[in-house]
Amino acid sequence: MSETSFLQLAGKHVLLGLSGGIACYKTAELIRLLTKAGASVQVMMTEAAEQFITAVTLQALSGRPVLSSQWDAREPNNMAHINLSREADLMLIAPASADFIAKLAQGRADELLSLTALARPMGTCPLAVAPAMNREMWAHPATQRNVAQLIADGTQILGPGAGEQACGEVGDGRMLEAAELFEDICAMLAPKHLAGKKLLITAGPTFEPIDPVRGITNHSSGKMGFAIARAAREAGAEVTLVAGPVHLATPRGVRRIDVQNAQQMFDAVLPLAPQNEVFIATAAVADWRPASHAQQKIKKDGSGAAPMIAMCENPDILASVAALNPPPFCVGFAAESEKLLEHARAKRLRKNVPLLVGNIGPATFGQDHNALLLVDARGEREIPHNDKASLARQLVQDIAQRLHQTDPKA
Ligand code: C5P
């Protein structure tokens, strides 16, 4: 199997401006994430930012000289603010201080960063800002007025987050973490194959309790379902993720509903399904559960006899959603240990879904890589071995094409 590892931000150019704030250290990490994903990054910083982090660090991380003065003679035509913004796919100010946000709101341009933000072509170079300031500064009506003005001007506000601040106070105003900003930037730069669509996704294992301390579960990590949720959000969809017990961070911009067992997953999914255009069932739902749930821990009685645990079948969530009238576009998953194609074909017919995605369970559970076999009424197609994030993006694109074929107006 061949692996085409494509970098998510290959060919993208980001203009990254820092204004003054402790959060400058997070921006150093963000530059690493962006360049690792294939983006080129041009860093600009204000005089205040230079008090918090050196240009040396940022130059080393971005691989390009950092610009901080509009009088920098290195630009042949001495118009860095024009040249740089013409080639960028996105301009991000992170951290954006309260003062810098005020400047942007007023359209002032008395140093290189604000000058570039004002001079950028708004149609090709969207602006995003990641506020970073003390909670009182963030809550101040002047800042809120300025932020509202930026939104009205078409600027994306990323965050801020809440929590403990450098000053020791706790509240809103922290800059988002580098990984969170990275996710938001990926979403801003991704093609919007699923704009305006609503997707419902199940992910992870279920846990079927035997008694208060034991239960039946499986090795599903939820990684594939979470990657699909993230890719779908990047593609512009409104995503609801119903997750079994997993240790994964919620993808940015995704609504998450946590459940434990199959019945709870069924109860969460069924009322939501009719409001969604697509349902993707990646969860490894337990087929059976203990028929009764002991209220107290089952104890050994010393006889050597193991308890008999009677089992009953769980509701089939995917088949139930597929039986709705009309159903959303349903995508099932099949984690098999052998005869993948045969089982995937049979499962697609049994569940009555247009698309069934087969994969080898023991090879994928908990792993970061996988390979997918897409089985539909016409035949099958493989998405070759790759990291789950890449597979998820390819699957999302495939589903978007199918939706478009079903309804070319969509
Ligand atoms: O029957 P099996 O568990 O192999 O089918 C797998 C597919 O059906 C997956 O898409 C899974 O999420 C879904 N499923 C379900 N509810 C169940 C069992 C499986 O939605 N009770």
Side-chain angles (χ1 to χ4, degrees):
M1 276 183 291
S2 69
E3 178 161 330
T4 29
S5 217
F6 65 94
L7 296 170
Q8 187 172 11
L9 297 182
K12 299 291 182 192
H13 184 56
V14 177
L15 207 48
L16 181 51
L18 294 85
S19 60
I22 310 281
C24 282
Y25 76 92
K26 297 184 185 177
T27 309
E29 174 67 15
L30 175 62
I31 296 169
R32 269 180 63 81
L33 294 174
L34 291 169
T35 53
K36 265 174 72 180
S40 54
V41 180
Q42 175 62 57
V43 179
M44 304 173 114
M45 60 201 302
T46 63
E47 212 181 306
E50 286 174 331
Q51 299 293 319
F52 294 90
I53 193 164
T54 70
V56 177
T57 303
L58 303 179
Q59 175 171 353
L61 290 171
S62 64
R64 290 173 174 237
V66 172
L67 298 168
S68 53
S69 162
Q70 80 241 55
W71 313 121
D72 190 332
R74 281 175 298 182
E75 284 292 313
N77 62 357
N78 222 315
M79 293 189 201
H81 61 294
I82 304 289
N83 307 342
L84 295 174
S85 61
R86 296 305 181 268
E87 60 197 29
D89 296 292
L90 171 76
M91 181 170 187
L92 169 69
I93 315 282
S97 65
D99 179 57
F100 201 81
I101 287 173
K103 265 176 118 166
L104 289 173
Q106 288 180 12
R108 290 177 59 189
D110 58 355
E111 44 68 55
L112 182 61
L113 192 54
S114 52
L115 179 61
T116 309
L118 196 66
R120 101 205 120 85
M122 292 175 68
T124 56
C125 181
L127 176 65
V129 306
M133 65 197 75
N134 166 269
R135 65 191 174 104
E136 298 292 359
M137 294 169 79
W138 173 251
H140 195 286
T143 302
Q144 290 303 311
R145 236 179 4 249
N146 292 333
V147 168
Q149 184 60 56
L150 291 193
I151 293 170
D153 292 344
T155 304
Q156 278 247 38
I157 309 295
L158 309 182
E164 197 172 317
Q165 306 200 307
C167 54
E169 295 180 7
V170 177
D172 290 339
R174 278 171 64 100
M175 189 168 87
L176 294 181
E177 299 305 320
E180 295 173 311
L181 289 174
F182 176 70
E183 265 195 67
D184 285 353
I185 292 169
C186 289
M188 283 185 76
L189 292 173
K192 296 288 170 270
H193 300 303
L194 288 176
K197 299 285 180 210
K198 288 187 176 176
L199 263 78
L200 181 61
I201 302 172
T202 62
T206 62
F207 181 89
E208 310 297 330
I210 295 172
D211 67 19
V213 296
R214 303 184 183 94
I216 298 171
T217 186
N218 58 64
H219 287 305
S220 169
S221 63
K223 285 180 181 173
M224 193 66 227
F226 275 58
I228 294 171
R230 178 175 167 172
R233 180 257 176 170
E234 284 174 1
E238 192 182 317
V239 181
T240 306
L241 178 61
V242 180
V246 293
H247 301 280
L248 293 174
T250 310
R252 300 268 304 152
V254 166
R255 173 186 173 212
R256 173 173 177 172
I257 300 170
D258 282 319
V259 297
Q260 288 288 312
N261 59 46
Q263 185 62 49
Q264 290 167 348
M265 191 173 271
F266 179 92
D267 293 341
V269 164
L270 263 290
L272 293 175
Q275 304 156 27
N276 285 268
E277 278 104 346
V278 180
F279 175 56
I280 308 177
T282 69
V285 184
D287 291 319
W288 304 280
R289 66 172 183 273
S292 63
H293 169 189
Q295 292 308 307
Q296 302 301 335
K297 184 178 174 188
I298 302 170
K299 308 297 283 183
K300 280 191 274 195
D301 63 9
S303 70
M308 297 297 290
I309 300 174
M311 305 287 278
C312 65
E313 198 171 76
N314 272 323
D316 191 314
I317 303 165
L318 176 58
S320 306
V321 172
L324 291 172
N325 188 15
F329 183 85
C330 287
V331 182
F333 267 69
E336 304 296 341
S337 59
E338 55 156 7
K339 297 183 190 156
L340 182 57
L341 180 58
E342 194 182 313
H343 287 311
R345 278 185 183 148
K347 199 161 287 182
R348 192 186 78 77
L349 295 174
R350 187 156 37 83
K351 307 252 177 182
N352 193 23
V353 295
L355 179 61
L356 201 293
V357 182
N359 56 176
I360 296 291
T364 176
F365 281 174
Q367 303 298 315
D368 290 324
H369 289 71
N370 195 5
L372 304 179
L373 185 66
L374 275 52
V375 179
D376 65 15
R378 284 172 306 181
E380 54 280 335
R381 170 172 95 83
E382 193 195 31
I383 306 184
H385 191 261
N386 214 322
D387 60 84
K388 288 184 175 173
S390 298
L391 294 176
R393 285 196 294 274
Q394 292 176 71
L395 179 62
V396 159
Q397 193 174 348
D398 183 282
I399 292 170
Q401 276 165 5
R402 288 169 195 272
L403 290 181
H404 193 69
Q405 280 158 12
T406 322
D407 176 9
K409 297 191 295 301

